[in-house]
Amino acid sequence: MKKLLFSLLFLFAANFVFGQQFILKGVTSDKQNNTLPFTSIYIQGTTKATSANTNGEYQFKLEKGRYTLIFKAVGYNQLIKQIDISADMNLSVVMEAEVYQLKDVVIKANSEDPAYEIIRNAIKKRKQHLTEVKAFSCDTYIKGVTKLRNAPKKFMGRNVQEDFKNIGLDSGKRGIIYLSESVSKFNFQQPGKINEEMISSKVSGNSNGFSFNQATDFLISFYKNTIDIKELSNVGFVSPIADNAMLFYRYKFIGTFREGNDWINKIQVISRRKYDQVFNGYIYIIDDSWRIHSTDLAITNNSIIEGIDTLHIKQQFIPVNADQWMLASQRYDYTGGLLGFKFMGTYTGVFNNYNIDPNFPPKFFTNRVMKVNADANKKDSTYWAAVRPMLLTPDERKDYVKKDSIKLAHSSDQYRDSIDRKENKFKPLKALLLGYRHQNTKAKEYWGISGPLFSINYNTIEGWIYNPKLTYRKTLKDSTSLVMQLNPRYGFENQTLSANASLSYRYDTKHNAYTGIRGGTSYADFNTNYDAIPALFNTISTLFDKNNILKLYKKDFVNINSGRELSNGLYLSGSLEYANRTPLLNTSFRTIKDFPDKEFTANNPYPTTGNDYAFVANKALTLAVTLNITFAQSYIERPDFKIRQGSVYPKLQLDYRKGIKGLLNSDIDYDYIGARVFDSNKRLGMIGTFRYSLAAGKFLNRDKMYYMDFKHFAGSNIVVYTQFTDGYMLLSPYEFSTGKEFLEGHFEHNFGGLFLSKIPLFKKLKLQEVAGVNYLTSDVIKNYTEVYVGVQRFGLRLNFVKAFNYENVSASKENQSTTGFRISAAF
């Protein structure tokens, strides 16, 4: 018994001694005593790595033993240190700036710079290096920090000082506004298969939140011909070693330096043209193997980018064996500004513990590209201290403490009640413009009413109308929600009060599931699919131009609707509606001034004269079902919801609509089927983005139907154009609806400044060129075609449109146009 006890104690002691980890920490700096931020440190013979923070501080946790540490910083000589560690240890290092040699290179006057030959060799090897690692897994740490540098005192009339205080900023309106960290296991297999698992997540000031850090979005490979950064630009950025890089870059040989057995060439990368979508800076190429050693490259606002002014990208690679190098660290530094707010930030990724010969089990890679574990945000400070490969700076540590304290204070009933009292205070001017909102933070509910200024409109059917919206929202457990809305409506000319209401319940956020019911009286647009003429625009057109575009009918109805994702990429939605539909006549004929040569048109979607009824009153029971299919849809699975990321394949939409005769005295009897194939954002590298939509439909049975049951199109004949995905800019919204069959197509390409950036006058405007074609053919209109070109910036667009095959079919000649300008906004 004593021997057994002794053996157990010995094993415990041995495990304690040999399993104990010691802390190695220090500061990296140069000879001028300037700290070197983001220096990479890794253990020779392994891919275990860490990175210094913005203050040059680093930390390693090592077991007892002898190690060879390698320190790497872009622009500095690699430093090798051997250590024996048996206790906590401090090791600060001083790194020397690179000293370049020409290494048998003789540069003669008028001869080609030797950088070009190096780059040509790198281009030849580009594809090999892109695909040479067939599969790998690694540990990934990403930290994102965004700081506010300056801000206006007021924003849209609101004093933002209190808002800054609530998020922990100082009185100078500076400080960290976002800080997050994440640790993931990243797995990759050619060609492009990804499986990422977020193990832990931390967001400053939000202990229940999950970081949006994702290695897939963060990683950049300059071995690709173009680098797509979709958050910044519609156009890809040309890699310095792309196949066609020589057309976009000039290169300058800076020199070469020795690192172990390798010679590293430093090449300056220079844009040939100021406004191209390219990088400027330095790329380091290893001699003989011609692979990338490190990068120090930047995008500036000379390129057509949105949201930021500059983006600086630094990468460092380390050898995982004699023939393969992998990314050890990557860092984004960015600056920007918007509406007087100035910000800067850094995203840093550390990648270590590589396995380049993983044995992935069958079906390991699926359409789920990332999973965030349910307990990812439950890790405590002890855990983070153990796994964090990069030390927090004092500011970052302070931000965590400060924002945790702020959140604790803000979560108290007393604070929430005080905020509610402040926000719920009635302000007449604000209520007139934006309406009034009353919130109860503790109960997670609010109600509000829209402002009178935007609830008053005019039309020829009701005259002046007041149509406010009253909304109540309640957030329930598990992020489910209940929304109720009441829409009263009063027409001052026809002296009619009506209302409709809706109740919607979202009960499964992961599958985007909802169910709802609507009912009451509605003054509905005949073009039931799109509501292409906004009430405000119709008010202006009617009063100031005697052009009453909008056509309405009365609908007393009840509608039950529901939708849910059945499985990944398969979404089913539908509705069942019963309606009593009544025609309406014009009752008001007001204008701001006289128009003796113009007459109001009838409230009739058909081009007729006289104030005639558009249809006979009827009852309709309608079933509508839509199935949306996204093939091989990739997605991120989070504990709180699912993020759908689209697919490389076209999407498919299938529609079925049935007019049910006889039941509940329904008068209608028809069957409609339709299909649509589309892709809204097909990225084509440096030549921009392309979107398209092809749709066709047919009424299989049309025994009894009315105009509102037809297939309608998103037409518009007003200058301010609503940017529907499948919209027409010059086509009448009512005249060409069909009750038989149709074929339509929409094609649009955004060149992202590819041409205008070459024209001196337009370079600084950073306008994006857009060109497209819309097509429609049916029994009502044959081969109608719109061709348009436009320019846009910040979502605002000016289009010039030319229509073909329109002149001989439009009955409303006075409103018809075959050319025109259209202004649109799409944010």
Side-chain angles (χ1 to χ4, degrees):
M1 186 66 181
K2 289 182 179 180
K3 290 183 178 180
L4 177 61
L5 181 60
F6 177 79
S7 299
L8 289 173
L9 289 173
F10 175 80
L11 290 173
F12 174 79
N15 183 66
F16 178 79
V17 171
F18 292 107
Q20 184 179 5
Q21 288 189 324
F22 301 102
I23 295 176
L24 171 69
K25 63 181 180 180
V27 177
T28 59
S29 60
D30 63 15
K31 283 190 171 182
Q32 286 72 44
N33 205 29
N34 299 312
T35 58
L36 294 179
F38 304 104
T39 301
S40 292
I41 308 104
Y42 72 97
I43 300 172
Q44 190 177 53
T46 76
T47 59
K48 184 175 181 179
T50 188
S51 175
N53 62 21
T54 55
N55 296 334
E57 302 166 329
Y58 77 93
Q59 177 176 291
F60 244 127
K61 291 196 173 182
L62 301 171
E63 294 182 1
K64 181 180 179 180
R66 172 170 290 185
Y67 299 91
T68 300
L69 300 178
I70 298 180
F71 295 78
K72 293 168 66 74
V74 176
Y76 291 83
N77 288 332
Q78 174 178 285
L79 180 64
I80 300 176
K81 289 282 187 180
Q82 287 190 342
I83 63 166
D84 288 294
I85 189 165
S86 57
D88 292 347
M89 181 178 178
N90 190 297
L91 177 65
S92 293
V93 299
V94 176
M95 302 186 69
E96 296 184 357
E98 293 163 348
V99 178
Y100 301 106
Q101 306 175 32
L102 294 183
K103 197 178 74 67
D104 301 329
V105 174
V106 179
I107 303 177
K108 298 180 180 179
N110 300 320
S111 64
E112 182 184 64
D113 191 297
Y116 286 88
E117 183 61 27
I118 295 168
I119 292 296
R120 287 191 191 96
N121 287 323
I123 291 173
K124 290 176 184 177
K125 290 278 191 176
R126 178 195 66 81
K127 193 171 183 180
Q128 175 186 326
H129 292 147
L130 178 64
T131 59
E132 67 182 350
V133 177
K134 303 306 179 185
F136 71 87
S137 64
C138 69
D139 296 330
T140 301
Y141 168 82
I142 298 176
K143 180 174 73 173
V145 183
T146 300
K147 296 181 179 181
L148 190 67
R149 294 190 299 166
N150 201 2
K153 292 182 179 179
K154 290 188 175 182
F155 180 69
M156 298 182 69
R158 180 186 178 102
N159 190 330
V160 295
Q161 189 67 39
E162 188 66 25
D163 298 325
F164 292 142
K165 184 179 178 181
N166 287 337
I167 61 173
L169 299 186
D170 61 28
S171 58
K173 295 167 288 189
R174 292 185 295 269
I176 295 174
I177 56 177
Y178 178 77
L179 167 62
S180 75
E181 299 175 274
S182 66
V183 173
S184 299
K185 188 71 173 181
F186 186 75
N187 306 282
F188 174 85
Q189 187 177 71
Q190 298 284 4
K193 296 178 181 179
I194 292 168
N195 183 333
E196 183 176 357
E197 179 185 6
M198 184 178 287
I199 299 166
S200 51
S201 168
K202 188 175 179 68
V203 180
S204 182
N206 187 2
S207 58
N208 294 322
F210 295 94
S211 170
F212 283 91
N213 296 344
Q214 184 182 0
T216 310
D217 290 339
F218 182 72
L219 290 171
I220 281 181
S221 174
F222 287 101
Y223 290 122
K224 294 181 178 180
N225 279 321
T226 56
I227 314 300
D228 279 329
I229 309 177
K230 57 185 177 182
E231 294 82 3
L232 298 186
S233 176
N234 288 317
V235 180
F237 298 87
V238 181
S239 167
I241 58 169
D243 292 340
N244 59 348
M246 297 287 182
L247 300 176
F248 295 89
Y249 292 100
R250 291 184 291 109
Y251 303 94
K252 183 178 180 181
F253 181 71
I254 302 300
T256 188
F257 62 93
R258 188 91 180 193
E259 188 175 277
N261 295 323
D262 296 313
W263 286 96
I264 315 299
N265 301 291
K266 182 177 182 179
I267 309 296
Q268 185 177 5
V269 175
I270 307 163
S271 171
R272 285 189 178 273
R273 291 167 293 274
K274 185 176 180 181
Y275 295 98
D276 278 349
Q277 299 294 99
V278 295
F279 300 87
N280 285 278
Y282 300 92
I283 187 167
Y284 296 76
I285 304 294
I286 302 174
D287 218 30
D288 295 331
S289 68
W290 313 114
R291 67 174 72 250
I292 297 174
H293 169 274
S294 51
T295 66
D296 185 1
L297 298 166
I299 302 168
T300 70
N301 58 9
N302 287 330
S303 299
I304 300 177
I305 56 177
E306 303 287 0
I308 66 170
D309 296 328
T310 61
L311 175 66
H312 207 108
I313 303 171
K314 284 189 175 183
Q315 295 178 318
Q316 294 192 49
F317 293 80
I318 59 174
V320 295
N321 58 35
D323 301 318
Q324 294 170 319
W325 288 54
M326 300 297 291
L327 183 66
S329 66
Q330 179 171 291
R331 168 184 162 195
Y332 282 171
D333 290 303
Y334 54 90
T335 61
L338 184 65
L339 301 175
F341 294 88
K342 302 292 184 182
F343 58 86
M344 61 183 291
T346 300
Y347 265 81
T348 308
V350 179
F351 310 90
N352 56 33
N353 296 326
Y354 277 98
N355 178 2
I356 59 171
D357 190 23
N359 184 21
F360 295 126
K363 298 182 179 180
F364 181 74
F365 293 97
T366 64
N367 294 322
R368 187 185 71 189
V369 296
M370 182 176 183
K371 178 185 177 182
V372 180
N373 290 342
D375 63 345
N377 61 350
K378 302 295 190 294
K379 312 296 185 182
D380 59 19
S381 57
T382 303
Y383 165 86
W384 281 102
V387 303
R388 183 184 286 127
M390 185 167 63
L391 286 172
L392 296 176
T393 65
D395 283 348
E396 292 162 359
R397 291 194 295 270
K398 182 180 177 181
D399 189 72
Y400 274 130
V401 173
K402 181 193 295 185
K403 286 188 176 154
D404 285 347
S405 300
I406 290 173
K407 185 186 178 185
L408 184 63
H410 288 186
S411 62
S412 69
D413 290 345
Q414 182 181 3
Y415 177 83
R416 290 188 292 188
D417 290 343
S418 69
I419 291 295
D420 287 348
R421 284 193 299 271
K422 179 181 177 181
E423 293 297 325
N424 294 338
K425 186 177 180 181
F426 183 79
K427 299 176 182 178
L429 182 60
K430 180 180 177 181
L432 177 66
L433 294 174
L434 304 175
Y436 177 73
R437 166 176 164 152
H438 185 281
Q439 66 185 33
N440 185 333
T441 309
K442 186 164 49 178
K444 295 183 179 180
E445 63 182 13
Y446 82 86
W447 63 266
I449 182 170
S450 59
L453 189 63
F454 295 102
S455 301
I456 297 174
N457 288 292
Y458 176 84
N459 62 58
T460 55
I461 299 94
E462 304 163 274
W464 287 103
I465 61 168
Y466 180 45
N467 183 206
K469 290 180 172 58
L470 292 88
T471 303
Y472 170 82
R473 180 184 180 90
K474 171 77 172 177
T475 301
L476 307 171
K477 62 179 182 179
D478 302 325
S479 299
T480 60
S481 63
L482 186 70
V483 179
M484 292 182 282
Q485 191 171 82
L486 175 65
N487 303 298
R489 183 184 185 107
Y490 183 73
F492 288 89
E493 297 283 344
N494 65 353
Q495 298 182 351
T496 301
L497 176 65
S498 62
N500 62 74
S502 65
L503 175 64
S504 178
Y505 174 50
R506 292 195 172 271
Y507 60 90
D508 184 348
T509 54
K510 277 192 176 182
H511 296 93
N512 196 19
Y514 71 92
T515 186
I517 183 169
R518 294 180 290 140
T521 298
S522 171
Y523 284 74
D525 190 339
F526 274 102
N527 190 332
T528 54
N529 296 89
Y530 298 102
D531 293 330
I533 309 299
L536 176 62
F537 297 152
N538 181 69
T539 299
I540 296 170
S541 176
T542 303
L543 294 176
F544 291 89
D545 195 41
K546 204 174 184 179
N547 186 14
N548 55 321
I549 308 170
L550 186 63
K551 310 301 177 185
L552 302 173
Y553 71 97
K554 182 181 177 184
K555 180 171 73 169
D556 300 296
F557 73 104
V558 60
N559 181 296
I560 301 170
N561 52 83
S562 186
R564 191 183 192 280
E565 184 183 53
L566 304 178
S567 63
N568 182 53
L570 202 63
Y571 192 87
L572 181 67
S573 60
S575 66
L576 181 66
E577 178 178 285
Y578 178 75
N580 187 2
R581 306 185 296 197
T582 308
L584 300 169
L585 296 177
N586 290 335
T587 62
S588 181
F589 305 92
R590 299 180 184 276
T591 57
I592 296 299
K593 66 174 185 176
D594 292 333
F595 293 90
D597 298 329
K598 284 188 174 183
E599 294 292 335
F600 284 111
T601 57
N603 182 45
N604 191 324
Y606 299 104
T608 61
T609 59
N611 197 18
D612 301 326
Y613 282 118
F615 61 94
V616 177
N618 63 84
K619 295 178 174 62
L621 180 63
T622 308
L623 172 69
V625 179
T626 297
L627 181 65
N628 283 285
I629 305 172
T630 304
F631 300 97
Q633 175 179 260
S634 62
Y635 66 94
I636 298 172
E637 181 184 326
R638 296 168 61 97
D640 42 357
F641 58 90
K642 177 179 178 179
I643 302 175
R644 295 158 184 84
Q645 296 197 309
S647 170
V648 297
Y649 301 106
K651 301 177 182 65
L652 176 64
Q653 177 180 312
L654 302 174
D655 295 302
Y656 173 72
R657 189 155 41 94
K658 170 72 176 175
I660 304 172
K661 183 175 176 58
L663 189 61
L664 300 177
N665 296 319
S666 173
D667 298 314
I668 58 174
D669 184 10
Y670 68 86
D671 292 272
Y672 166 80
I673 59 169
R676 175 176 170 238
V677 178
F678 64 100
D679 193 327
S680 58
N681 188 23
K682 192 73 175 177
R683 299 184 69 86
L684 301 176
M686 59 179 293
I687 62 173
T689 58
F690 180 66
R691 71 176 187 178
Y692 63 88
S693 174
L694 291 168
K698 181 179 179 62
F699 286 86
L700 305 176
N701 154 43
R702 54 193 309 271
D703 287 349
K704 188 67 175 178
M705 55 192 302
Y706 297 86
Y707 178 86
M708 60 282 287
D709 301 316
F710 286 10
K711 168 60 183 176
H712 306 287
F713 304 99
S716 178
N717 47 12
I718 56 178
V719 173
V720 180
Y721 162 64
T722 304
Q723 253 189 65
F724 293 110
T725 303
D726 291 349
Y728 297 91
M729 299 186 197
L730 297 178
L731 192 71
S732 166
Y734 301 109
E735 196 171 339
F736 303 105
S737 300
T738 180
K740 292 185 178 179
E741 62 273 332
F742 73 93
L743 173 67
E744 68 174 320
H746 305 267
F747 308 89
E748 181 179 286
H749 191 85
N750 185 324
F751 292 93
L754 183 64
F755 303 112
L756 290 178
S757 64
K758 310 298 187 295
I759 303 174
L761 182 63
F762 292 99
K763 285 180 178 179
K764 292 187 178 181
L765 296 178
K766 298 183 181 179
L767 297 175
Q768 300 177 16
E769 322 89 333
V770 179
V773 177
N774 298 318
Y775 173 82
L776 174 64
T777 189
S778 71
D779 62 301
V780 182
I781 186 169
K782 300 293 184 183
N783 299 318
Y784 172 76
T785 307
E786 291 177 352
V787 178
Y788 62 92
V789 293
V791 291
Q792 73 176 35
R793 181 84 194 277
F794 297 127
L796 294 173
R797 184 193 295 182
L798 174 65
N799 303 282
F800 175 74
V801 196
K802 171 67 177 175
F804 301 90
N805 299 324
Y806 197 15
E807 297 91 339
N808 300 323
V809 295
S810 177
S812 54
K813 298 287 185 180
E814 68 277 8
N815 294 327
Q816 172 197 312
S817 176
T818 57
T819 59
F821 288 94
R822 290 292 183 266
I823 301 170
S824 62
F827 298 103

